[in-house]
Amino acid sequence: MHSRFILFFTFIIVSTTLRADVLKNIEQHVIEFQREQSPAVSYAVTHKGKLIYAGGAGKANLELAVAAHNETVFRIASITKQFTSTAIMMLQEQNKLSIKDNINQYLPGFSTKGNTITIENLLNHTSGIKITPSFISQLDVKDNTAASPDEMLAWLAKEVVFTEPRTEFSYNFINYNLLGKIIEITSGVSYKTFIEENIFKKVGMHNSQYDGPQLILNRATGYSLNKNKEYQHAQFVDMTWPYASGAIVSTPTDLGIWHNALINGKLISHESYKAMTTPLKLKNGQEYPYGFGLFIEKIGMFSTVHHGGNLPGFASDSLYFPEKELYISVMMNGDGYARPLSLSIAAEVLGIESIM
């Protein structure tokens, strides 16, 4: 059982009108992926900053049989990190902070156990902050109850362990939640207010906001499969815990607007964007393909800038091909990974059998 909504049936890319069979193939990829992976999928494709194709398949809400479309609102999870890193770069351009600053300048109550951690270390996950299995088990109990940023960070400071900064890449949400608090301290407003006023409203992302208990038009419900392979409501997570690492809700079309603004200097300078998309370098000289909230690496023969996101009941993906000026965003309201669909759509648009 499925439903689908298509915005455009023909579109232009690299000065070539896509054939009807290509459009049909994309649609078929979407439908097949949705049937196998999630109650619903929404997607959007932009080229040179213009929306050229978007739609959805399946149900945004199974109980009410609400069809998904390109403006269905999903939790984007860790794609939030690129908004947070952009906010930090905006504040640096306003001379309110430097990414070279020691975080204790802004967070004196967060003990780093004698380690010197900079804002840049948080941005590229080289802070040395580590998450242990016991930490995860405790978090699974705590993250269903609301906490203020101060309460959350106080608990985190007691539970995390540290290694020497810049000796390894260790991806975790704590780095970006610390950045969220730094944004609040240096801007004088809440993280929610800063992001919504200085990014969403500025670039016209009308279907995006910081998630919480408020009613949100067109919001998708998150689902997980039980042991009988039947959908049930996903585990509840209070969004005060994902915070600046994962608490934004958005749509595929809004992410296309966001990306166009980000790469074209509408929010930060081209120099700041270059810093965000420069692979990190560890103390031993080794490079790792992560910048500030973004992965930068080859996928198959193509250079890409990308990031995905996962929370219980939701998965998302953003995938940019700079040389082709092609950006694809995919969102779903089930557990799993959205990247395979992004790659399938990209292959069809680029006219090749496979990206990999």
Side-chain angles (χ1 to χ4, degrees):
M1 187 75 179
H2 69 270
S3 62
R4 61 187 186 273
F5 172 82
I6 304 298
L7 269 184
F8 301 101
F9 291 93
T10 60
F11 53 93
I12 304 297
I13 187 160
V14 198
S15 301
T16 303
T17 302
L18 289 181
R19 302 185 311 271
D21 63 320
V22 174
L23 299 178
K24 184 177 180 180
N25 288 344
I26 292 174
E27 188 176 346
Q28 192 61 36
H29 282 301
V30 171
I31 293 169
E32 290 177 359
F33 182 88
Q34 178 269 311
R35 284 174 172 166
E36 295 175 3
Q37 301 293 333
S38 178
V41 170
S42 292
Y43 55 95
V45 181
T46 62
H47 178 239
K48 295 185 177 180
K50 295 186 181 299
L51 178 67
I52 57 173
Y53 193 63
K59 303 298 182 185
N61 184 288
L62 292 172
E63 293 155 300
L64 299 177
V66 177
H69 48 80
N70 63 295
E71 292 192 347
T72 298
V73 176
F74 297 81
R75 289 178 173 174
I76 64 171
S78 286
I79 293 179
T80 298
K81 291 180 175 66
Q82 59 195 261
F83 291 88
T84 300
S85 60
T86 298
I88 289 289
M89 302 310 285
M90 292 170 75
L91 290 165
Q92 177 171 257
E93 291 181 3
Q94 296 168 16
N95 296 314
K96 293 184 177 180
L97 57 78
S98 166
I99 64 171
K100 303 298 183 183
D101 289 341
N102 187 322
I103 67 169
N104 286 145
Q105 179 178 336
Y106 307 98
L107 305 170
F110 187 84
S111 174
T112 58
K113 307 296 192 292
N115 294 290
T116 299
I117 300 174
T118 66
I119 292 175
E120 185 173 15
N121 296 149
L122 298 179
L123 286 165
N124 60 24
H125 297 289
T126 60
S127 64
I129 295 172
K130 303 276 284 185
I131 290 178
T132 63
S134 62
F135 173 91
I136 294 296
S137 63
Q138 292 182 68
L139 182 64
D140 284 342
V141 175
K142 293 190 72 70
D143 68 6
N144 60 10
T145 304
S148 70
D150 289 335
E151 291 170 336
M152 174 185 56
L153 294 177
W155 181 78
L156 294 176
K158 294 187 297 182
E159 300 298 331
V160 299
V161 298
F162 293 86
T163 58
E164 183 183 355
R166 288 191 61 223
T167 58
E168 63 178 318
F169 173 81
S170 183
Y171 182 91
N172 67 69
F173 78 98
I174 300 170
N175 291 309
Y176 273 73
N177 282 2
L178 290 169
L179 290 169
K181 185 60 181 177
I182 291 171
I183 290 167
E184 293 190 352
I185 290 169
T186 54
S187 69
V189 298
S190 69
Y191 175 82
K192 167 185 166 68
T193 297
F194 188 92
I195 297 296
E196 291 184 348
E197 294 296 324
N198 295 283
I199 296 180
F200 298 160
K201 287 186 179 180
K202 184 173 182 178
V203 303
M205 296 174 65
H206 302 302
N207 294 308
S208 302
Q209 55 186 289
Y210 184 85
D211 199 5
Q214 73 271 26
L215 299 180
I216 297 176
L217 186 65
N218 293 323
R219 180 204 284 267
T221 301
Y223 299 97
S224 298
L225 289 172
N226 62 22
K227 62 182 180 180
N228 296 320
K229 303 297 182 181
E230 298 168 334
Y231 282 117
Q232 63 184 22
H233 286 283
Q235 173 189 337
F236 177 77
V237 174
D238 191 284
M239 297 306 283
T240 55
W241 287 88
Y243 183 45
S245 68
I248 287 175
V249 295
S250 189
T251 66
T253 47
D254 263 15
L255 284 190
I257 294 169
W258 149 255
H259 182 260
N260 185 51
L262 179 63
I263 66 172
N264 286 305
K266 296 179 181 178
L267 293 168
I268 56 174
S269 67
H270 293 291
E271 291 76 16
S272 289
Y273 179 69
K274 183 178 179 180
M276 287 178 63
T277 53
T278 298
L280 67 90
K281 187 172 287 189
L282 300 174
K283 277 189 175 180
N284 64 6
Q286 178 185 357
E287 281 194 353
Y288 191 86
Y290 197 88
F292 301 164
L294 292 164
F295 286 94
I296 314 100
E297 60 187 336
K298 283 267 190 180
I299 299 180
M301 69 180 77
F302 298 99
S303 298
T304 69
V305 180
H306 65 88
H307 213 290
N310 290 86
L311 279 169
F314 293 94
S316 58
D317 190 50
S318 63
L319 178 61
Y320 178 49
F321 297 84
E323 294 156 357
K324 302 296 183 181
E325 298 183 84
L326 176 68
Y327 179 79
I328 297 167
S329 55
V330 173
M331 300 177 188
M332 51 193 269
N333 60 340
D335 297 324
Y337 296 94
R339 174 61 50 81
L341 181 57
S342 297
L343 293 173
S344 295
I345 293 172
E348 293 293 345
V349 172
L350 295 171
I352 58 177
E353 186 173 337
S354 173
I355 297 295
M356 303 300 289

